[in-house]
Amino acid sequence: TRSGLAFLKIILNLTHRVSVRDGLSYNLIKSFTRRKLVKGFDTAVLLGSWGRYFKCSSKNNVSNGSIRNIGLSITPVFYNSFLNAKKDEILAEVIAKDINEILSNIKNINLHFVAFNTHPKVGDLKIIRKVMSMIDTNHLGRIRLIANTGTISNFLSKFLNLDAMICCKYHSIILSYLFEKPMIVIGY
């Protein structure tokens, strides 16, 4: 619509950097702005490895002594967007390896997978289950699931208890901003 296009132009003029999810969106938005565009999937910025972040900040976390509840949102992006489940399996292996290393080295972190989409075929639980199958059994007691089961107040109350978020989904970025949660945004 004309009003939608007008809002798009206003928002684009207020940004410094824009991330878009696909080539079609990239080409469309490129025609309306001279801002730097980044092609990514549901990300506002593209940062490095979240595992590297925790390794660098582990001294601060451990010395504090209190338990930190960290949220992680992931989705089977390659299957959902490109029907390539093999790439999601590789992604799950990398994430599981990082989680195992982080939980082995940083004792005061509990990890909460945040599942926004719980559809059995294309939802977040598909890749979360794959990651969980590769987690060292010693760490399973420190991992929880926050799933959107349709009761938004229950979902949000659990989200509010998180100390920080690792965001791979646009929804987690928005909620982290709204609830002023520190976040790391990664693209894959």
Side-chain angles (χ1 to χ4, degrees), residues 35-92:
R35 304 285 190 237
K36 179 174 176 152
L37 291 177
V38 176
K39 205 157 130 182
F41 184 84
D42 277 351
T43 58
V45 295
L46 301 175
L47 298 176
S49 164
W50 60 281
R52 205 172 25 240
Y53 168 80
F54 280 107
K55 290 172 196 166
C56 293
S57 64
S58 65
K59 290 180 183 170
N60 293 335
N61 286 335
V62 173
S63 66
N64 184 317
S66 62
I67 299 294
R68 301 286 183 221
N69 292 301
I70 308 298
L72 170 60
S73 66
I74 57 176
T75 194
V77 62
F78 295 105
Y79 177 79
N80 291 350
S81 299
F82 310 106
L83 295 176
N84 189 342
K86 183 65 179 161
K87 284 190 177 182
D88 283 330
E89 289 176 22
I90 294 168
L91 177 65

Side-chain angles (χ1 to χ4, degrees), residues 72-122:
L72 170 60
S73 66
I74 57 176
T75 194
V77 62
F78 295 105
Y79 177 79
N80 291 350
S81 299
F82 310 106
L83 295 176
N84 189 342
K86 183 65 179 161
K87 284 190 177 182
D88 283 330
E89 289 176 22
I90 294 168
L91 177 65
E93 289 173 16
V94 170
I95 291 172
K97 181 179 175 279
D98 283 347
I99 290 172
N100 280 322
E101 185 176 340
I102 290 165
L103 293 179
S104 291
N105 293 321
I106 306 173
K107 303 300 182 193
N108 66 329
I109 289 179
N110 285 336
L111 183 66
H112 300 256
F113 283 105
V114 181
F116 289 89
N117 180 349
T118 57
H119 187 279
K121 185 172 180 178
V122 296

Side-chain angles (χ1 to χ4, degrees), residues 47 50 53-54 68-74 110-116 124 146 155 158-177 179-186:
L47 298 176
W50 60 281
Y53 168 80
F54 280 107
R68 301 286 183 221
N69 292 301
I70 308 298
L72 170 60
S73 66
I74 57 176
N110 285 336
L111 183 66
H112 300 256
F113 283 105
V114 181
F116 289 89
D124 306 335
I146 299 173
F155 180 76
K158 291 177 181 176
F159 191 90
L160 282 169
N161 288 326
L162 297 174
D163 296 306
M165 272 297 297
I166 301 162
C167 305
C168 298
K169 290 183 65 85
Y170 180 72
H171 306 81
S172 59
I173 296 168
I174 298 300
L175 285 181
S176 296
Y177 274 122
F179 296 118
E180 299 178 353
K181 300 289 180 192
M183 73 180 105
I184 300 169
V185 181
I186 60 173

